Amino acid sequence: MSLFSTEDYEKFKEIVSTIKFDGQREIFESLDQYIGALNQDYKDIFKALISVFLLHADAGEIDGDFIEGFSASFNRKLNPKKKNQTKLLTDRIKDLFYSSHLLILSLKAASLYQEAEHLFSQGRVLTDIRPIFNKDASEFSENYAILLHRLKIEFNEEDGRKDIYFTMTRNQILELSETLARALEKERTIKSKTHFKFL
């Protein structure tokens, strides 16, 4: 990062300081939409910074003391003959940290989300037509069948990703849809009635 020109550094800083991550996604899944057209150096440095910030955000340690110690560590590890380059690097790390308030808050918010016991990953609905058989299963009705929906939920736990399935009727699908719509309506109400800037 110390090798970036002033112009390149300012571009990089602008990207980092305006990013807000959704804590419900994997932290790097959104990377390309923010940095896509930039070169690989930007992406690698960005990933390294986010990894360090996220690690310490999880531990509740993202503050001035952390960033001072993090940037100062380069003074001990880099070539003493490159003091000017080292100073530029540490100055830019501090500058990025203190100008990335929204990103840091988002990472803290993401760490709160990660504390949940089950973390939703994705869902899918599988729809089946089931024939109705007679008692000994030798025949089935040619005129009647039943439609069933299987809701598959993928979620993450400490020991990895898991799946759970729920068999549902049309009415139950509608009921779940109404419940989710109500959750979104509550979110809209809260956002319109409070002064918070939600991450």
Side-chain angles (χ1 to χ4, degrees):
M1 191 162 61
S2 62
L3 299 178
F4 284 175
S5 67
T6 301
E7 182 182 359
D8 280 348
Y9 170 71
E10 289 301 324
K11 285 182 188 174
F12 184 69
K13 176 182 172 182
E14 181 181 359
I15 292 168
V16 174
S17 63
T18 55
I19 289 175
K20 179 179 77 172
F21 278 108
D22 181 349
Q24 298 183 28
R25 299 178 184 173
E26 293 296 328
I27 201 75
F28 295 124
E29 283 182 6
S30 306
L31 182 61
D32 283 338
Q33 70 175 311
Y34 294 108
I35 302 186
L38 299 178
N39 66 41
Q40 190 61 41
D41 289 341
Y42 279 66
K43 294 181 182 181
D44 292 342
I45 292 169
F46 183 85
K47 285 182 179 180
L49 283 172
I50 296 300
S51 295
V52 172
F53 286 172
L54 183 59
L55 176 67
H56 288 271
D58 278 340
E61 297 172 353
I62 289 289
D63 56 23
D65 289 340
F66 157 70
I67 203 62
E68 290 291 335
F70 177 61
S71 58
S73 68
F74 289 98
N75 286 318
R76 298 188 296 272
K77 294 179 181 177
L78 295 184
N79 189 335
K81 295 179 181 178
K82 297 182 178 179
K83 279 293 182 184
N84 289 340
Q85 188 177 326
T86 303
K87 183 178 186 313
L88 181 60
L89 178 60
T90 56
D91 287 347
R92 284 181 171 179
I93 289 171
K94 290 180 187 179
D95 183 46
L96 278 174
F97 175 78
Y98 290 116
S99 66
S100 305
H101 183 65
L102 184 60
L103 174 60
I104 300 302
L105 286 177
S106 294
L107 290 173
K108 287 186 175 182
S111 72
L112 290 176
Y113 171 77
Q114 295 292 326
E115 291 179 8
E117 184 178 358
H118 301 120
L119 300 174
F120 176 82
S121 176
Q122 62 180 346
R124 184 179 179 189
V125 175
L126 310 170
T127 301
D128 298 319
I129 300 174
R130 301 282 182 88
I132 301 173
F133 289 88
N134 63 6
K135 188 172 183 180
D136 62 4
S138 60
E139 294 181 1
F140 61 85
S141 171
E142 297 180 1
N143 298 315
Y144 296 97
I146 186 171
L147 270 174
L148 292 176
H149 307 277
R150 281 203 307 160
L151 173 61
K152 175 187 177 184
I153 299 290
E154 292 183 13
F155 60 96
N156 296 313
E157 289 186 334
E158 287 185 3
D159 56 349
R161 182 167 292 185
K162 297 184 178 179
D163 301 336
I164 188 169
Y165 292 84
F166 299 92
T167 298
M168 307 177 74
T169 65
R170 178 180 184 277
N171 285 341
Q172 290 170 327
I173 290 282
L174 290 172
E175 186 178 336
L176 178 59
S177 177
E178 290 173 4
T179 300
L180 296 175
R182 177 173 166 76
L184 293 176
E185 185 59 36
K186 288 194 290 186
E187 181 174 306
R188 281 191 289 271
T189 300
I190 291 170
K191 287 181 175 179
S192 68
K193 303 290 186 183
T194 63
H195 65 278
F196 296 114
K197 295 179 180 177
F198 288 93
L199 299 169

